Amino acid sequence: EIVVVDNNSSDQTRAVVQKAARGARWPVRYAFEPAQGTTYARNRGIQEAQGEFVAFADDDVIPEPGWVSGIMEAFDTYDADCVGGKVLPSWSSPPPRWLSQGRHHTALWTLLALLDLGPQPMVLTATNGHSLYGANLAFRKTVFDEIGLFSTHLGRRGSILFSGEDIDLLTRLFSAGKRVVYTPRAVVHHQIGPERMRMSYFRRWKFHSGRQASSLEGPARR
């Protein structure tokens, strides 16, 4: 099934989804989530989903053919609880050199939620320094009964570029002893528009990231 969560939009999302559902090869269901924010939307999707597994993709990514089969192969092969894959860029126009080849481009790609851990599958741990992103992430639905849903004080809210919800959930998975796997066979392409190829975007991202970090740490003590 495909569950489309409308996160309090003001456009024609409902009509577009309902029209697509009439000609779809799989069941397509529309759900409206009034609370603004990525984590609220994802949690609503979890609650609506009826299957044994839940796979997430953002509204600005395009999965490659074989995305679902790649995810399921990793679940079966590794008896995984969580599976994530590659998030590759789909540039709307040629990116500036500092973003595509500069010495800081790897760190900047992380801020765009781009991910490529190489051509080999990998079991991730709390200590090997790797993470996965919600734009290409799947779970056994039962894990949410054990570790809870996405933390709603984290994650993007409209133009506020908060983040950290993916890392927070993975941290809880590791603490619960769950198996987290990266697979190169599950690939999505993240559409990067011109507004995210400017230095101003990355400055704004880091500003909101700092705000979020300070709010989580609480007031400083002397």
Side-chain angles (χ1 to χ4, degrees):
E1 64 174 354
I2 299 172
V3 178
V4 181
V5 179
D6 179 347
N7 193 200
N8 201 22
S9 70
S10 58
D11 55 19
Q12 302 302 310
T13 294
R14 181 191 293 268
V16 170
V17 174
Q18 291 174 341
K19 180 179 179 180
R22 290 195 288 270
R25 295 169 57 191
W26 301 277
V28 177
R29 292 193 290 113
Y30 170 94
F32 185 83
E33 174 50 57
Q36 197 81 50
T38 302
T39 51
Y40 287 104
R42 288 178 181 163
N43 289 345
R44 180 60 184 270
I46 294 166
Q47 294 160 357
E48 293 283 340
Q50 299 175 1
E52 181 182 352
F53 300 90
V54 181
F56 293 95
D58 288 348
D59 61 358
D60 57 358
V61 306
I62 299 176
E64 283 192 0
W67 176 62
V68 172
S69 61
I71 288 172
M72 291 310 304
E73 178 186 67
F75 274 117
D76 294 338
T77 302
Y78 295 93
D79 191 26
D81 299 291
C82 171
V83 171
K86 294 185 179 184
V87 184
L88 303 179
S90 176
W91 309 106
S92 63
S93 59
R97 183 178 178 82
W98 56 263
L99 183 55
S100 62
Q101 303 175 42
R103 63 191 179 96
H104 299 300
H105 88 275
T106 300
L108 294 175
W109 281 29
T110 298
L111 305 188
L112 292 172
L114 300 174
L115 177 74
D116 185 351
L117 300 182
Q120 299 299 322
M122 184 187 312
V123 177
L124 306 187
T125 68
T127 58
N128 66 7
H130 294 302
S131 189
L132 299 170
Y133 295 132
N136 187 3
L137 198 57
F139 302 86
R140 293 185 188 272
K141 194 178 179 186
T142 53
V143 302
F144 297 108
D145 296 328
E146 300 179 49
I147 68 168
L149 301 173
F150 285 95
S151 297
T152 53
H153 63 283
L154 300 173
R156 186 165 183 162
R157 302 173 197 170
S159 62
I160 299 176
L161 302 180
F162 282 0
S163 60
E165 73 278 12
D166 313 329
I167 295 173
D168 171 73
L169 195 64
L170 290 175
T171 300
R172 284 186 274 146
L173 283 168
F174 292 137
S175 297
K178 302 302 181 182
R179 177 164 288 202
V180 179
V181 173
Y182 160 81
T183 175
R185 286 203 57 230
V187 181
V188 303
H189 294 266
H190 189 187
Q191 300 175 73
I192 310 294
E195 72 282 355
R196 285 190 279 187
M197 298 187 213
R198 302 183 182 120
M199 283 290 188
S200 58
Y201 172 82
F202 294 98
R203 287 194 293 266
R204 190 162 59 91
W205 195 102
K206 294 299 287 185
F207 172 78
H208 287 298
S209 177
R211 282 184 58 200
Q212 177 180 298
S214 65
S215 68
L216 293 177
E217 291 174 1
R221 295 181 179 179
R222 299 186 179 183

